[in-house]
Amino acid sequence: MKFNIKYPPLIEQSYSFMIAAGIKATKDAVYRNMVASDLIDENGNPTQKAIDEGLIEVAGDDLIKQFKATNPVISSIPNQHFKVQNGRVLMDCYAVKAAATTVLNDPTATPEQHDSAQHLLDQVNNLDHNEWH
């Protein structure tokens, strides 16, 4: 039986970053390492030490940072690939492709997530790459 454990956003972000970078890891190992390193507490919240030392950034009112915090699969994509328009965060084709590729390379992603990512990748390949989505 496979359990679908919901990890805190900082764990998901770190895990997604590692997968995108080609580093093999498990979410459990990432969680244990971040707690042991005093980056987060047992509940997945950043420690004051991690914030003070600039190791973990708090989003505040920045819509792009908030968007990336709630969508860990895009957390490692540079901010230049995002913009805010009418209160919505938009992504360029590079960001959409990077997010879809990260999901496709994630061994823990479900078949439905793989299918959605492949469909998104197929769609973005047919778009004008100068547009925002």
Side-chain angles (χ1 to χ4, degrees):
M1 172 185 268
K2 185 175 179 181
F3 293 100
N4 189 9
I5 299 171
K6 176 88 169 141
Y7 284 90
L10 286 173
I11 306 306
E12 295 286 355
Q13 288 174 350
S14 297
Y15 176 77
S16 292
F17 179 79
M18 293 176 83
I19 292 297
I23 300 168
K24 294 186 185 283
T26 65
K27 290 179 186 178
D28 182 57
V30 172
Y31 167 79
R32 285 186 278 114
N33 188 301
M34 290 180 76
V35 170
S37 300
D38 199 27
L39 294 173
I40 60 170
D41 63 21
E42 299 81 24
N43 296 320
N45 299 313
T47 63
Q48 191 60 51
K49 175 186 169 194
I51 294 170
D52 291 346
E53 292 179 5
L55 301 172
I56 294 179
E57 195 172 328
V58 180
D61 293 333
D62 186 322
L63 291 179
I64 293 173
K65 286 181 185 176
Q66 290 174 9
F67 184 70
K68 290 172 86 173
T70 57
N71 298 284
V73 75
I74 61 168
S75 63
S76 64
I77 300 171
N79 284 356
Q80 70 194 37
H81 297 286
F82 300 87
K83 73 176 181 178
V84 177
Q85 184 175 345
N86 298 326
R88 294 180 54 213
V89 177
L90 303 178
M91 301 168 34
D92 65 12
C93 286
Y94 171 86
V96 175
K97 283 183 176 183
T101 302
T102 299
V103 172
L104 290 171
N105 291 331
D106 183 350
T108 66
T110 66
E112 294 82 14
Q113 290 170 324
H114 277 174
D115 289 346
S116 293
Q118 185 61 58
H119 179 71
L120 185 61
L121 194 57
D122 292 342
Q123 285 185 322
V124 80
N125 283 332
N126 293 320
L127 296 173
D128 177 351
H129 290 265
N130 294 316
E131 292 182 16
W132 290 84
H133 311 282

